[in-house]
Amino acid sequence: MHRIKTMQNKKILILTTGGTIAGSGEDHLQGANYKAGSISGETLLSSLPPIPASLEVYEVAQIDSIEMDAKIWHKLLTLLHQNITLYDGFVITHGTDTMEESAFVLELLYQESKPVILVGAMRPSDAIGSDGIKNLCNAISLASNSKAKGVMVLMNDKIYDPKTIYKAHTYNLDAFASRNGGDMGYVLDGSVRFFYPPYKHTLPFVTDDLISLPKVEILYIYAGISDLPKFSHEVRGLIVAGCGAGNIPTKIRIQLRELQAQGIQIVACSRGNQGFVCESEFIPAYALSLPKARILLALCLQHKQAQEDIKAVFAHF
Ligand code: SIN
């Protein structure tokens, strides 16, 4: 671990994983043509202005977050729990593409209340108008704030709940939105204002095994879909991205019933980003997005097999 700046106040550990916040390109006017995860955690932190926090950095990965996987989630979770008594808060730098999934899985499995803030950038570190350093400063302020608890995401000055955040724009700096609600708060020049108190979502069971998660696939419904694709024998669960309120054509519904009879758990979700799904034949995902429902079903399948038990877990969301 490298100590970068030592001033008074809170001790914050920065765990870096790559992403556009650590991205670099040849043309500084280009916001799309660059390599994510190019610069080291130390280089990233050396660009920070003096901040009233004691910062240490540890490089966990150096990837484009499209390559994020359960092994890195496991490593992050282990590092958080191992270092919990040594730091006042944590910041995780992360690519924005899968940040909502990492935030959600950590939210479910992180057992502590010290703040863990995921942060990224929409423009690479050396692009004109890069947002990375500003976002990182804000994330450190949030991780140092006495009201901050558990896992949150900080992007473009806004604080987001891991349960509701989703990436809504492919390029714009204001890239994130919340399902069924607003942002949790705002960070302005280091000062934190919560609109809603942080809320911790927990699972009714404890697990730290992310490596051997059962396989769960996502099926996207569209007008004219005629047959289910063939799934591998390893698949134990299926998230169905239904239309509107989770609607599924009759022919596909009949085929899904057959899969269910073979022991595959089916979760009904929506292609939409607002509202909820409460369909009764399968497990309703309620307000969870497709990738988050996939994570929750995989975690449930490790512990609970019966549809009614899994339904009860999803009902909390
Ligand atoms: C990534 O997710 O690693 C690339 C895109 C980004 O960080 O904005």
Side-chain angles (χ1 to χ4, degrees):
M1 283 193 201
H2 278 265
R3 185 175 294 267
I4 301 293
K5 285 191 171 70
T6 28
M7 295 177 73
Q8 76 289 25
N9 294 337
K10 300 286 177 77
K11 265 188 99 178
I12 308 295
L13 177 60
I14 304 194
L15 301 170
T16 63
T17 69
T20 295
I21 192 167
S24 174
E26 298 211 333
D27 181 349
H28 303 316
L29 276 171
Q30 280 268 12
N33 199 2
Y34 62 92
K35 187 171 173 333
S38 303
I39 65 165
S40 70
E42 290 159 56
T43 308
L44 185 63
L45 261 71
S46 65
S47 330
L48 282 175
I51 285 193
S54 169
L55 306 178
E56 288 178 27
V57 63
Y58 182 78
E59 195 170 294
V60 179
Q62 188 63 296
I63 56 164
D64 186 312
S65 80
I66 202 63
E67 311 297 343
M68 185 54 65
D69 61 17
K71 276 193 190 140
I72 301 178
W73 288 341
H74 183 84
K75 204 167 162 187
L76 284 169
L77 195 64
T78 307
L79 281 164
L80 292 173
H81 287 146
Q82 277 172 351
N83 285 286
I84 198 72
T85 56
L86 303 177
Y87 297 92
D88 299 304
F90 302 88
V91 169
I92 299 175
T93 62
H94 198 294
T96 60
D97 284 354
T98 59
M99 186 184 258
E100 64 207 61
E101 288 164 77
S102 297
F104 185 63
V105 78
L106 292 174
E107 160 78 353
L108 293 179
L109 302 181
Y110 173 65
Q111 305 289 328
E112 308 288 339
S113 61
K114 283 186 179 171
V116 176
I117 315 301
L118 281 87
V119 66
M122 291 301 291
R123 291 186 185 147
S125 61
D126 49 6
I128 292 172
S130 173
D131 50 334
I133 293 302
K134 177 74 173 165
N135 286 346
L136 186 53
C137 288
N138 281 342
I140 294 165
S141 298
L142 182 56
S144 308
N145 187 270
S146 56
K147 289 195 189 131
K149 281 186 184 45
V151 181
M152 286 172 269
V153 176
L154 186 293
M155 282 297 291
N156 201 36
D157 302 339
K158 298 175 192 168
I159 306 168
Y160 293 95
D161 180 339
K163 175 187 154 184
T164 57
I165 186 173
Y166 65 97
K167 190 170 179 182
H169 200 286
T170 50
Y171 291 114
N172 199 272
L173 296 194
D174 197 18
F176 285 88
S178 300
R179 286 167 82 97
N180 297 321
D183 327 319
M184 285 170 72
Y186 204 86
V187 181
L188 179 65
D189 298 336
S191 143
V192 176
R193 179 159 295 272
F194 280 105
F195 305 144
Y196 309 101
Y199 177 80
K200 174 95 184 94
H201 302 92
T202 37
L203 287 174
F205 50 85
V206 176
T207 182
D208 58 4
D209 177 12
L210 283 164
I211 307 296
S212 49
L213 282 181
K215 202 169 171 62
V216 176
E217 291 290 359
I218 296 178
L219 170 73
Y220 203 88
I221 300 294
Y222 52 89
I225 184 170
S226 55
D227 277 305
L228 286 184
K230 251 206 150 353
F231 295 107
S232 103
H233 292 304
E234 288 167 26
V235 172
R236 304 250 326 271
L238 193 59
I239 308 299
V240 183
C243 301
N247 295 318
I248 303 165
T250 308
K251 189 174 174 198
I252 297 294
R253 186 175 280 276
I254 291 166
Q255 295 176 26
L256 288 172
R257 279 185 199 135
E258 286 164 15
L259 284 185
Q260 190 171 244
Q262 291 163 26
I264 294 179
Q265 295 291 356
I266 315 278
V267 170
C269 213
S270 173
R271 302 191 317 186
N273 270 324
Q274 303 293 336
F276 59 95
V277 168
C278 57
E279 97 109 66
S280 58
E281 181 171 13
F282 303 122
I283 300 161
Y286 296 101
L288 281 185
S289 67
L290 299 164
K292 291 179 194 173
R294 197 196 71 82
I295 288 168
L296 186 60
L297 181 58
L299 289 168
C300 284
L301 285 170
Q302 243 181 2
H303 288 260
K304 301 182 183 289
Q305 308 300 330
Q307 194 197 49
E308 286 314 305
D309 292 339
I310 299 174
K311 268 189 178 172
V313 176
F314 272 80
H316 289 287
F317 295 86

